[in-house]
Amino acid sequence: MFTHFLLMLLLNSAYVVESTLFTFDKVHDIVGEIALPEPVIDCVVDDFVFVATADYLYNIDREGRQIVDKVPLPLRFNHILLLYHDIALISTDEIIILDRTNLSFKSGIGIERGDHRPVVSNQKCLGAGAQHKIYLVSDASTQSTLRIVDLESGKTIRKLRVERIRQSEFDPQQMAFICLEAGQWLSIYDLSLRRQKRIHLTFEPDILIAENNCFSAVTAQGIFFLTKSGEMVDFQPVQSLLHISGTVMLTKDAIFWMDTLTMRIIGMQHNNYGITALFRDSDANHVIGMDGQGRTYLIQNSPGSLVPLTRQRRILIPALPLAAGVDSLWYLQLSAFSEPANALHAYEEFRRKGVPVIVDSADLYRIRFGGFTDKLTALDLLEKMELNGWLVFQKKLRSGSGEVFSVGNEDFVIENGVVRKE
């Protein structure tokens, strides 16, 4: 039976298993293993590795050697979505937008409650035309809901109920979403979520892979090859198929290589290493294999080429202090209200607890505490004070000078709107 590994993610030569980050150095045949501070909820890879846990969002360099940045998460998020310039964190009823360069809070969007997930995890592949939109899918009973959320207005600008979506991916050649739906339906949607084509398959695939010129539909019996119009052009019987990635197929006993033009098997090697999963690498010429003990292998997309990777345990270097500019500082946004009376009540409560908050009423009434000249100092102080909220990087707010507050045995003063230690 075909096995789908939900706990692993491989994108651009990095993947996560539970709370371990693996990175690859294919030049020296080395895989780096980095233990992360907490179990991972979601992970996406682009120029950097972005990892979400229950408590923090981490930005880690691609080599897995340093925490570039981190930000505390005041609530649990289920998914990370990379937008054209920013990062979106998705919960059951809210989307939070963070600045990708420093992980500071930019905005929040309320959405209809549901088990929302991104249609694709990295929307940069959709091009500049989609940079102000978010594409989500959620499931309920036998149906799924596709929606487009406008980032600027926060409104749902397109909502479509369809048969329950079992799998979705983006086809950059057609600039379309390919959705495998219940009832053996394959649907293709454009960037406006208009259905361009609906194909009824004569079999039920476990997973569908969009190739350059066709679809590969994987079942327990083997692989069906379909044209982009849904016509069957070939079938490769492969018993007990575990995984497929590109032109490499894996069973319990053997590894097979296929020709990309004829889709015929052109090579086979016994699975002597006990590899149980394949993952597509950012380099189209390679596939990463993994056995049941977590050991990894570099497999070229040509018959007979399989190299065990040397494991190298690494310790992440903490992030360096991120200094603020002359005109902007770090603040903790503790709450936001539309009614001034509610904001005043919260303001007084924080003041009674010894937190010298201020109210920023540029649009909503936002209760903020700061400003800090560097982010790590802000994080350290906020953890000691057990405060919960979003870190915001913005122009310095006006506040009184000479205000003093204490955290443990340390005294701090706010002078000209800047927090400094006495």
Side-chain angles (χ1 to χ4, degrees), residues 399-416:
S399 63
S401 292
E403 190 162 16
V404 178
F405 65 97
S406 299
V407 181
N409 297 323
E410 298 177 315
D411 294 324
F412 297 85
V413 63
I414 302 177
E415 290 185 348
N416 192 27

Side-chain angles (χ1 to χ4, degrees), residues 332-336 350 355 357 367-369 382 387-390:
L332 182 69
Q333 180 173 301
L334 300 171
S335 53
F350 281 114
V355 184
V357 294
I367 309 299
R368 288 180 171 169
F369 169 50
L382 299 175
L387 295 173
N388 195 24
W390 289 106

